[in-house]
């Protein structure tokens, strides 16, 4: 018999609450109820992290703790014995328990691990594989590595560095392009930390300490899928590890989210909508070139286009696009992979990087035979990409016939929106990036701002990053200059005068006057134009 009473939808929270009632436990939604700091202070951080027990509140002398499953009841009883007080358990979502524990206990746990741990013995070249594996499995080592990853993800870091020196070890993270210290573990823990990372990494040899190694780690942190690209190299004081964090949840930006000025975005969209030719993104490592290319591919993707990429490495998986990983050790290079891609009936091709003459020529011939090709180069500005291709040995007429556009870019830190305040910059700082009173008037005024530092930006005054862009469209005069092997400076001057191209520094001036960044940030990543 049907009822006209509307049924409450079975959301995940309601389903968990119903399951808790069946087991005889109260359920708490951690999105609504926050742990009491007084309760948190009672429980050792390593116990909470190891057993995933979250202190919630204190009622009389009884400590109320949240656990993810009834099977953790024994850990709650053990906690009662440890604290010599009654402990009552309730149920909560295990992912939220993990997240809350990391938020509260992580810094305390990491700080406590920086003191020398006598249970970790020094490792030398005579240490065998069994001892390495045992040391890498020590609770302190496991907790430290997990804590480093969790803290880096919480801070929005792009890279983690573990750097050994003669008497100490530094763990540093790169946040918004800037490195800062995270912790300094005792020297004797260094080799055990590296061994633990090798165990986690796919395809890494824990016993090999004399040769560079690369690997990949897949993690789930606070419910987010994280890929970590690992590079380990031997130094005179031990192995140095750098781990690039690839957060799939934040990587895929669309063109409008890159921060391009409206007029530049309109021009760039016209360039990437061309049916064939080569489009290059230039800039140093970590300047956001791959992000811009991924955004461009998403912009032009449609069910009627066939898009293939060859990358080293494939950093993010893009739906609807076939991606190939370079494997130089078995002969799959950019050049050989590109030859195969051309036979896959592509409409659009992305080559991760043009590194040599062979790859450049194959990419150019693909563009000349009716394909749209995206790739990257390491040059200081947009016009420099033309001369770089010529320096690689590519014939000028081939470059002139195939290249349709070059976008150069840098990343500057944005002023923290939480603590920004109006500022009157020093005249010298404004002059250094070319801001004059005439420029301010032409811009319609200026809103100079600076962050004073707060908890959200870790006291730096900056939070998040913003792109600076310089777009060179290859028109007929630029093609003639290419054939005549004109200098990059001549091409750049033509683009500024004839196309109205805004340089990287010019784009930075606009951001400074809009209060989005500071003169010091713009100068940090771009060249002055008065040299």
């Amino acid at each position: 018999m049907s009822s006209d009473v509307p049924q409450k939808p079975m959301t995940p929270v309601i389903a968990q609450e119903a399951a808790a009632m069946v087991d005889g436990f109260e359920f708490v939604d951690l999105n609504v109820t926050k742990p009491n700091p007084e309760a948190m202070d009672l429980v050792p951080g390593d116990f909470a992290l190891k057993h995933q027990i979250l202190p919630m509140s204190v009622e009389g002398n009884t400590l109320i703790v949240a656990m993810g499953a009834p099977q953790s009841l024994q850990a709650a009883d053990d906690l009662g014995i440890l604290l010599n007080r009654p402990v009552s358990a309730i149920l909560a979502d295990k992912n939220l328990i993990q997240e809350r524990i990391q938020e509260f206990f992580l810094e305390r746990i990491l700080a406590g691990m920086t003191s020398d741990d006598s249970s970790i013995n020094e490792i030398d070249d005579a240490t065998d594989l069994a001892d390495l594996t045992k040391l890498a499995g020590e609770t302190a080592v496991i907790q430290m590595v997990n804590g480093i990853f969790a803290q880096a993800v919480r801070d929005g870091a792009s890279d983690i560095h573990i750097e050994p020196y003669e008497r100490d070890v530094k763990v540093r993270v790169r946040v918004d392009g800037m490195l800062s210290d995270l912790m300094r573990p005792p020297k004797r823990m260094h080799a055990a930390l590296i061994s633990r990372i090798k165990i986690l990494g796919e395809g890494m040899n824990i016993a090999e300490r004399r040769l560079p190694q690369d690997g990949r780690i897949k993690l789930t942190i606070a419910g987010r899928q994280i890929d970590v690209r690992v590079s380990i190299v031997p130094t005179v004081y031990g192995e140095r590890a750098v781990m690039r964090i690839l957060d799939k949840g934040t990587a895929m930006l669309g063109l409008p989210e890159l921060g391009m000025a409206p007029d530049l975005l309109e021009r760039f969209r016209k360039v990437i909508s061309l049916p064939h030719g080569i489009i290059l993104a230039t800039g140093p490592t970590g300047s956001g070139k791959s992000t811009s290319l991924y955004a461009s591919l998403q912009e032009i993707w449609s069910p009627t286009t066939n898009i293939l990429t060859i990358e080293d490495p494939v950093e993010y998986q893009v739906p609807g696009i076939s991606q190939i990983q370079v494997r130089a050790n078995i002969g799959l290079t950019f050049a050989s992979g590109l030859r195969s891609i051309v036979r896959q009936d592509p409409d659009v091709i992305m080559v991760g990087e043009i590194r040599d003459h062979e790859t450049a020529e194959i990419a150019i011939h693909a563009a000349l035979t009716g394909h749209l090709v995206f790739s990257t180069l390491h040059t200081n500005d947009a016009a420099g990409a033309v001369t770089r291709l010529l320096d690689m040995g590519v014939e000028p007429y081939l470059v002139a016939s195939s290249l349709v556009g070059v976008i150069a870019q840098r990343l500057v830190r944005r002023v923290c929106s939480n603590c920004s305040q109006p500022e009157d910059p020093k005249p010298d700082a404004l002059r250094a990036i070319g801001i004059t009173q005439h420029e301010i008037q032409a811009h319609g005024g200026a809103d100079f701002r600076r962050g004073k530092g707060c908890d959200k930006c870790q006291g730096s005054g900056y939070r998040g990053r913003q792109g600076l862009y310089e777009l060179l469209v290859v028109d007929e005069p630029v093609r003639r200059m290419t054939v005549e092997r004109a200098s990059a400076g001549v091409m750049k001057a033509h683009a500024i005068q004839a196309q109205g191209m805004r340089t990287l520094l010019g784009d930075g001036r606009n951001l400074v006057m809009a209060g989005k960044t500071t003169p010091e940030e713009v100068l940090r990543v771009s060249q002055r134009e008065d040299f």
Side-chain angles (χ1 to χ4, degrees), residues 117 119-121 131-144 189 192 196:
D117 190 332
S119 68
I120 306 298
N121 297 317
D131 288 338
L132 280 171
T133 305
K134 179 182 178 182
L135 288 169
E138 292 282 349
T139 301
V141 176
I142 293 173
Q143 288 186 354
M144 181 173 284
M189 291 189 72
R196 178 63 186 170

Side-chain angles (χ1 to χ4, degrees), residues 13-149:
V13 171
I14 293 175
Q16 292 173 354
E17 187 174 359
M21 291 176 64
V22 170
D23 292 324
F25 289 95
E26 179 186 345
F27 180 84
V28 61
D29 183 358
L30 295 179
N31 284 317
V32 178
T33 305
K34 305 299 181 184
N36 188 309
E38 179 189 354
M40 302 284 266
D41 287 335
L42 292 173
V43 179
D46 54 351
F47 186 96
L49 189 63
K50 179 179 179 181
H51 298 284
Q52 292 296 289
I53 294 288
L54 178 66
M56 292 298 298
S57 62
V58 178
E59 297 180 1
N61 193 42
T62 301
L63 175 65
I64 310 298
V65 299
M67 57 188 186
Q71 289 78 9
S72 299
L73 192 58
Q74 181 60 52
D77 292 339
D78 293 343
L79 179 62
I81 296 172
L82 177 67
L83 300 179
N84 192 27
R85 67 162 62 208
V87 172
S88 177
I90 56 179
L91 290 184
D93 182 271
K94 63 180 181 180
N95 291 326
L96 290 176
I97 288 177
Q98 182 182 39
E99 189 173 333
R100 299 294 180 269
I101 290 173
Q102 289 174 352
E103 285 176 1
F104 185 83
F105 289 115
L106 201 51
E107 291 183 10
R108 181 186 297 181
I109 292 170
L110 292 180
M113 288 179 182
T114 57
S115 59
D116 199 4
D117 190 332
S118 59
S119 68
I120 306 298
N121 297 317
E122 193 68 63
I123 293 176
D124 55 32
D125 290 339
T127 307
D128 62 21
L129 180 60
D131 288 338
L132 280 171
T133 305
K134 179 182 178 182
L135 288 169
E138 292 282 349
T139 301
V141 176
I142 293 173
Q143 288 186 354
M144 181 173 284
V145 171
N146 291 347
I148 289 170
F149 281 130

Side-chain angles (χ1 to χ4, degrees), residues 249-259 291-296 298-299:
T250 61
M252 302 311 298
L253 302 177
L255 274 185
E257 298 166 305
L258 294 182
T291 300
S292 294
L293 292 187
Y294 284 137
S296 300
Q298 291 182 90
E299 178 86 7

Side-chain angles (χ1 to χ4, degrees), residues 242-263:
V242 174
M243 292 160 282
R244 169 65 56 89
I245 298 173
L246 308 173
D247 188 346
K248 296 180 180 180
T250 61
M252 302 311 298
L253 302 177
L255 274 185
E257 298 166 305
L258 294 182
M260 293 184 184
D263 60 333

Side-chain angles (χ1 to χ4, degrees), residues 328-347:
N329 59 329
I330 59 172
L332 179 54
T333 62
F334 277 119
S336 62
L338 190 49
R339 287 194 191 95
S340 298
I341 283 178
V342 173
R343 295 191 287 270
Q344 288 284 313
D345 185 31
D347 299 299

Side-chain angles (χ1 to χ4, degrees), residues 389-425:
L389 290 174
L390 299 181
D391 291 343
M392 285 182 179
V394 181
E395 291 295 334
Y397 73 91
L398 290 176
V399 177
S401 302
S402 59
L403 191 63
V404 295
V406 183
I407 187 162
Q409 63 184 81
R410 301 288 191 277
L411 291 175
V412 294
R413 292 181 295 170
R414 294 176 61 103
V415 172
C416 176
S417 59
N418 185 62
C419 63
S420 72
Q421 56 188 16
E423 184 208 31
D424 188 12

